Amino acid sequence: MKRAAPLLAAAFALGAAPAFAGNLTPVQDDVVTPPPPPPVAATPNWTGLYGGVQLGYNNLDSNISGSDDTVIGGLFVGYDYDFGNFVLGSSLDYDFTDAEIAAGPNLPVDLENIFRAKLRAGYKLGDGLIYGTGGYAKAFTDNLGDDDGYFVGAGYETMVTDSFSLGGELLYHEFDNFNGSNADVEPTTVQLRGTFRF
């Protein structure tokens, strides 16, 4: 019994030593998480079909009778595709106007309509889109027939709601030697546009 007591005391001391020595598992510092990045401002998605109306000012220059100013307006339909920061699209426009190409007692000539097949490429700025445009144009007159030409221009459009946008567009058109008449017809138009998006 006298031998058992020292053995028990030694066993107890050996078993208790790790407890007094402390926890051998390394203590981890609190993990500091970085703050979340600031939210990225969402821009509208321009992809989709659209149609609308436009109205504005037509300044028509002609090498025959100078220039004439009048109202122009019409309808358009098109489709855009949104690539993130850039937008590509195409559309068809048909405008009505009444601008004088040539004056005279025997042959007054008025430009009555302009048709356009357009391409446009734009860069997104917040809720807006700034773009360049160009393409094929066809002009129709009251008594000099019609002729093919081209146009170039630029515009800006901003989303008012998810389904409606407002914008403005400046276009320069050129119809050289209109239908073989030696008349060069150059309308420059500025129009406000209201667009419904589907």
Side-chain angles (χ1 to χ4, degrees):
M1 196 64 181
K2 291 182 179 180
R3 286 187 186 176
L7 288 174
L8 285 173
F12 177 76
L14 288 173
F20 291 110
N23 190 351
L24 298 179
T25 304
V27 177
Q28 294 183 350
D29 293 333
D30 291 338
V31 178
V32 178
T33 57
V40 178
T43 58
N45 186 344
W46 295 80
T47 297
L49 181 69
Y50 63 85
V53 295
Q54 56 192 9
L55 181 67
Y57 165 79
N58 177 17
N59 172 251
L60 185 146
D61 283 327
S62 168
N63 63 338
I64 295 177
S65 62
S67 65
D68 186 28
D69 301 331
T70 187
V71 173
I72 189 169
L75 306 171
F76 57 88
V77 63
Y79 188 89
D80 283 330
Y81 193 86
D82 192 323
F83 289 91
N85 289 327
F86 298 94
V87 175
L88 294 178
S90 62
S91 67
L92 302 175
D93 295 14
Y94 197 86
D95 278 337
F96 304 89
T97 189
D98 186 20
E100 186 177 271
I101 296 174
N106 298 323
L107 189 64
V109 179
D110 290 335
L111 174 67
E112 294 188 326
N113 307 103
I114 300 177
F115 167 79
R116 302 178 199 90
K118 304 168 75 171
L119 293 176
R120 76 172 182 171
Y123 182 76
K124 293 163 71 172
L125 298 171
D127 289 340
L129 179 71
I130 186 167
Y131 63 89
T133 184
Y136 166 79
K138 191 175 189 73
F140 301 86
T141 68
D142 55 353
N143 56 22
L144 193 60
D146 55 68
D147 198 20
D148 301 324
Y150 70 91
F151 72 94
V152 293
Y156 178 79
E157 187 175 348
T158 186
M159 289 286 194
V160 178
T161 69
D162 289 341
S163 59
F164 183 73
S165 61
L166 285 174
E169 194 171 74
L170 169 67
L171 302 177
Y172 168 78
H173 308 72
E174 182 134 345
F175 304 95
D176 289 333
N177 189 23
F178 196 97
N179 202 20
S181 66
N182 293 321
D184 295 333
V185 179
E186 300 171 356
T188 300
T189 62
V190 179
Q191 296 194 79
L192 295 176
R193 295 159 54 92
T195 304
F196 299 91
R197 298 189 164 269
F198 310 103

